[in-house]
Amino acid sequence: MEATLNNNVKINRDNVQRLLIVYQEKAFFIGDTFIDLNEIRGIRAFFHHAVIDINLINKQNATMYNALLKNNPNLDNIHFSDWNEIDYTQYDAVICAANDEEILLKILHEKYDPCSDYNLAVFSISNFIQQVRVDARIVFPVNEALMEFITTKVAGKPREIYVSEEERDWADGWLAAKGMKATDKLYILLDSTTRRSKLISMNVYFDLLMGLLEADNVKVLVFDERSIGKRAFYKEWLGEENMKKMIFSESLSFREDLCLLASRHTRLVLGPCTGLLHCASGIYNHYLNNGASPKDIPLLITYTGQYVKREGNANYWWGSSPLMNCLLLKEKNNKKEITVLSSLTTEERNSYTQLPCSDYTAAMLLDFIRSKMKTPELVAQPV
């Protein structure tokens, strides 16, 4: 550790030629990981001369990591090696984002002689890009200049996912094969999340869906990534005729589902506070930042309920997502009303006074969508 700290003091960011980010997380959640990995852009901007590799320790999630990081301009190489398989001598500096940094310290102690040519600088970014964990073991110092750069120049900027035009072509072709016409609009509804309390009630969901299906030239896409039989379940609720306007993404890869979110047909993405909505936000942040017309950005909506304080609030999760209409349900004068997060004061944004998701009605949600899309035919229909 003493040798590492000495190297940290001597490091000059302009002279760093090879840099490694070591990333380890306790559990994979799409939204959390998407938010974490976007902080890489600050590292790239600060160490602007370096070739940057990332090594993701939890290799069982390699497919998901690759889906989130594909085409990412802030990285040069992606690896999935165990801690002790990495040759740290090929790097000038390591940035550690991990639950247990002591693992890295122990490996460096065992593999390298600090009295020889040990020139590695190691910094921690763990408490910045991941939520603080009570059981975390953080042993390396932060690079104060890097942290100041990130917090003043990068933090708070919209996060991005990089879906290419070729991938959008694939998505449009896949939808065409499912019956999507050139003039059709695609509405994507997300119907699952990690906790049932984050979802609207089943009756409200299908009333909402029926209202959306009333619109002309609309197809509704539902993800069934594990092929658990959603098609048959939806048919029980909707009937044969409405199913003609439904498309199910069954057994596609996570990256392919991200490409469907990016389809040029997509006009609405709606769902609970969940990872795929963070991804949708990131996809369209990227397109807008690269010259897309605002009229080509679909309506993005997340409805939110009551948060557990230790897990953050709506502002924590959505405050840096300018394209997202983050809905909170508030009670005013004995009346329940939808409020948009961006319209609130800072104090109101960080409160925990909203009502649960079970209190939303289909009429509320359809009214909000209609006001944004100016589509008069969106009316709640009985299932």
Side-chain angles (χ1 to χ4, degrees), residues 322-359:
L323 297 179
M324 185 62 62
N325 292 272
C326 177
L327 308 186
L328 302 92
L329 198 57
K330 301 276 190 176
E331 187 163 4
K332 300 177 182 178
N333 301 319
N334 295 320
K335 183 180 179 183
K336 297 173 183 177
E337 297 179 352
I338 283 178
T339 303
V340 182
L341 178 69
S342 59
S343 69
L344 300 175
T345 65
T346 301
E347 182 179 357
E348 290 170 330
R349 284 184 178 210
N350 290 300
S351 73
Y352 289 82
T353 58
Q354 57 266 29
L355 300 172
C357 289
S358 57
D359 284 10

Side-chain angles (χ1 to χ4, degrees), residues 13-14 41-49 143 145-146 149:
R13 67 168 173 154
D14 293 329
R41 57 192 173 173
I43 298 173
R44 165 69 90 191
F46 186 78
F47 292 102
H48 47 275
H49 295 311
N143 183 313
L146 170 63
F149 180 87

Side-chain angles (χ1 to χ4, degrees), residues 214-259:
E214 287 293 309
D216 294 331
N217 302 317
V218 161
K219 292 285 196 299
V220 174
L221 173 68
V222 171
F223 294 115
D224 187 6
E225 62 276 7
R226 296 188 179 91
S227 293
I228 61 174
K230 287 186 180 182
R231 185 187 299 271
F233 179 73
Y234 273 71
K235 186 177 179 180
E236 289 293 320
W237 281 85
L238 299 177
E240 193 73 45
E241 194 62 29
N242 282 314
M243 287 296 288
K244 294 177 182 178
K245 301 180 78 172
M246 297 295 298
I247 299 174
F248 292 86
S249 164
E250 297 164 315
S251 299
L252 293 183
S253 71
F254 178 37
R255 184 67 187 188
E256 289 170 330
D257 283 340
L258 294 181
C259 295

Side-chain angles (χ1 to χ4, degrees), residues 83-218:
W83 292 94
N84 57 4
E85 296 172 341
I86 301 169
D87 179 6
Y88 297 96
T89 61
Q90 63 180 306
Y91 298 101
D92 302 306
V94 171
I95 304 290
C96 192
N99 299 311
D100 187 357
E101 295 181 0
E102 286 187 0
I103 297 173
L104 176 56
L105 179 61
K106 182 179 180 181
I107 287 171
L108 295 176
H109 175 73
E110 292 174 349
K111 291 181 71 170
Y112 305 110
D113 179 1
C115 296
S116 60
D117 293 328
Y118 178 77
N119 298 310
L120 188 67
V122 185
F123 300 101
S124 173
I125 198 172
S126 302
N127 278 337
F128 178 73
I129 76 166
Q130 299 178 338
Q131 292 191 58
V132 177
R133 301 157 307 280
V134 294
D135 61 340
R137 292 190 286 187
I138 310 301
V139 298
F140 295 106
V142 300
N143 183 313
E144 298 292 351
L146 170 63
M147 296 309 301
E148 181 181 359
F149 180 87
I150 291 175
T151 54
T152 59
K153 304 291 187 182
V154 180
K157 290 188 176 181
R159 305 177 183 99
E160 298 182 56
I161 285 182
Y162 306 89
V163 177
S164 69
E165 292 303 304
E166 292 77 15
E167 289 177 303
R168 298 183 91 185
D169 291 340
W170 171 87
D172 292 347
W174 186 92
L175 289 165
K178 299 295 181 181
M180 195 92 188
K181 298 182 177 65
T183 56
D184 283 343
K185 297 171 287 188
L186 184 66
Y187 293 174
I188 300 177
L189 264 62
L190 306 180
D191 63 358
S192 61
T193 187
T194 53
R195 206 165 51 238
R196 183 68 188 85
S197 62
K198 295 168 71 174
L199 294 169
I200 54 179
S201 71
M202 192 71 71
N203 286 335
V204 169
Y205 175 81
F206 279 99
D207 282 349
L208 168 65
L209 177 53
M210 289 287 283
L212 294 173
L213 290 170
E214 287 293 309
D216 294 331
N217 302 317
V218 161

